[in-house]
Amino acid sequence: MIIILLSSNVKSQTINEMIDLIDKHGAMIFLINQENGEIIYANEAAVNFYSYPEEELLAMNISDINILSPEEMAEKIELARSEQQNHFDFKHRLASGEIRNIEVYSYPNNFNGTPVLFSIFNDVTARVKAEANNRRIRTYLYISFGLIILILLVFSILFYRKNRKLKSTKNELENFNKLYQTFIDANDNLIYLKDNKMNYLFVNEAAAEFYNKSKKEIIGKNDYQISNREFAKFRRLTD
């Protein structure tokens, strides 16, 4: 990110040179009036992105492209003006009506005697969508694992009720262990349980086959000990 400070004390020729430099910059750059939110200047990258004619864009207020209300936008401008906050995440509307996620860095300055906010805009729509998709995947994994645990819990309760009259506690526990182990081994999904240190307490056959190890080689170990570091980091995130 490049910050170019504009001052009212700079000679006209120098200001023009700075404007020319900003206009050629690849990032979207705006100068916004601190007092009323009017767009004083937008470089070529900004004009191309928002797809408004340059004259029309320069006649607009920043609240015209931001989906926040004018009152909410005024609050954000005040935060930037007073430097209480310089980084913002907004939703902006293009000339086509499309809504895009915009990351904004905004700093107070002066331009030809007018207090302005020197603002750099970045389109982060792709990143926001990717993050939302990752959240959905994680939610799906949590729900799936929760359902498996719930099924195991319900099955365990039913099994316990059915066999609570057994005289031998030892035989009851042995049968129970065999039954739930058979149940999870019959599932093609990886089913496992870890302790609070992320060490495996038990795994099903599918998990053992996935790591190409026996259950004994997995139990008591964590992902870093049984797989490569990159995959272990991924597993840790999903856990």
Side-chain angles (χ1 to χ4, degrees), residues 203-221:
V203 297
N204 68 344
E205 287 293 341
E209 290 177 5
F210 178 83
Y211 286 109
N212 196 27
K213 297 180 182 295
S214 67
K215 293 179 181 179
K216 291 183 179 180
E217 291 178 297
I218 298 175
I219 302 302
K221 297 179 180 178

Side-chain angles (χ1 to χ4, degrees), residues 13-28:
Q13 183 179 357
T14 305
I15 291 176
N16 291 334
E17 291 174 353
M18 289 183 175
I19 289 294
D20 186 57
L21 176 62
I22 294 173
D23 202 48
K24 294 178 181 178
H25 198 278
M28 294 181 285

Side-chain angles (χ1 to χ4, degrees), residues 121-227:
F121 290 17
N122 296 308
D123 179 19
V124 293
T125 304
R127 187 187 74 191
V128 171
K129 288 182 177 179
E131 290 173 349
N133 187 54
N134 289 337
R135 286 194 295 272
R136 284 194 295 270
I137 292 174
R138 288 196 294 269
T139 300
Y140 172 78
L141 291 174
Y142 296 152
I143 293 175
S144 298
F145 189 72
L147 288 175
I148 292 173
I149 294 298
L150 180 60
I151 291 171
L152 288 174
L153 181 60
V154 171
F155 195 87
S156 300
I157 293 173
L158 293 175
F159 182 84
Y160 173 78
R161 289 179 178 177
K162 183 178 179 180
N163 294 279
R164 60 186 176 182
K165 294 182 180 181
L166 292 177
K167 296 181 180 180
S168 174
T169 302
K170 181 179 180 179
N171 289 337
E172 177 183 336
L173 293 175
E174 289 177 352
N175 291 336
F176 174 77
N177 289 335
K178 289 179 181 179
L179 186 58
Y180 84 72
Q181 189 65 53
T182 300
F183 178 80
I184 65 172
D185 283 342
N187 196 310
D188 292 333
N189 294 314
L190 274 64
I191 301 176
Y192 55 87
L193 180 66
K194 295 180 179 181
D195 62 19
N196 58 355
K197 295 182 179 179
M198 308 306 287
N199 295 321
Y200 286 95
L201 295 177
F202 76 77
V203 297
N204 68 344
E205 287 293 341
E209 290 177 5
F210 178 83
Y211 286 109
N212 196 27
K213 297 180 182 295
S214 67
K215 293 179 181 179
K216 291 183 179 180
E217 291 178 297
I218 298 175
I219 302 302
K221 297 179 180 178
N222 59 44
D223 291 299
Y224 288 95
Q225 295 172 301
I226 63 174
S227 61

Side-chain angles (χ1 to χ4, degrees), residues 25-57:
H25 198 278
M28 294 181 285
I29 299 176
F30 283 79
L31 296 182
I32 301 168
N33 192 311
Q34 293 183 24
E35 302 300 329
N36 52 30
E38 291 179 351
I39 298 174
I40 295 177
Y41 169 80
N43 71 345
E44 184 177 347
V47 173
N48 293 337
F49 178 78
Y50 286 91
S51 299
Y52 288 101
E54 184 175 2
E55 296 78 8
E56 182 178 349
L57 186 61

